[in-house]
């Protein structure tokens, strides 16, 4: 029962992050273009874009890491419970 819930949770997280990947890649491209334009033309207003894209990328990566850690902990907990039941 718990394994099925864990599988459902993994599927839900997979769906969430597959929807976030295109916007993540667009933000990464925007960050790259902003850095290149800033260093090439020395436009000062580009720091706004650089900070926005950088924060967006950081938040997406942080959420991804947190969700992966939570799912792995639940997996370990279920495996530990199964091991205790076997003995």
């Amino acid at each position: 029962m718990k394994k099925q819930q864990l599988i459902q949770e993994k599927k839900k997280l997979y769906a969430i992050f597959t929807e976030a990947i295109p916007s993540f890649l667009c933000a990464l491209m925007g960050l790259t273009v902003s850095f290149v334009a800033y260093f090439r033309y020395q436009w000062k207003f580009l720091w706004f874009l650089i900070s926005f894209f950088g924060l967006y990328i950081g938040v997406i990566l942080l959420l991804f890491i947190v969700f992966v850690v939570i799912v792995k902990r639940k997996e370990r907990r279920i495996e530990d419970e199964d091991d205790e039941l076997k003995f």
Side-chain angles (χ1 to χ4, degrees):
M1 184 68 175
K2 289 183 181 181
K3 287 186 180 183
Q4 291 174 350
Q5 289 175 345
L6 185 65
I7 291 171
Q8 291 296 327
E9 191 171 328
K10 282 183 179 180
K11 286 181 181 179
K12 187 169 58 171
L13 288 176
Y14 177 76
I16 290 170
F17 283 108
T18 53
E19 290 176 6
I21 286 175
S23 65
F24 176 80
L25 293 176
C26 287
L28 192 62
M29 190 174 96
L31 183 66
T32 305
V33 168
S34 296
F35 266 124
V36 168
Y38 175 76
F39 289 122
R40 173 96 170 122
Y41 302 111
Q42 297 295 318
W43 293 340
K44 299 297 180 195
F45 70 89
L46 287 175
W47 278 111
F48 174 74
L49 288 175
I50 291 169
S51 61
F52 173 75
F53 289 136
L55 285 173
Y56 182 77
I57 290 169
V59 166
I60 295 292
L61 286 176
L62 179 70
L63 288 174
F64 178 73
I65 290 169
V66 166
F67 284 132
V68 167
V69 167
I70 289 171
V71 168
K72 289 295 181 184
R73 282 186 182 172
K74 286 182 180 179
E75 269 183 354
R76 267 191 236 125
R77 190 176 308 136
I78 289 172
E79 288 175 0
D80 290 343
E81 288 175 0
D82 288 345
D83 289 342
E84 288 175 4
L85 291 174
K86 288 179 183 176
F87 288 112

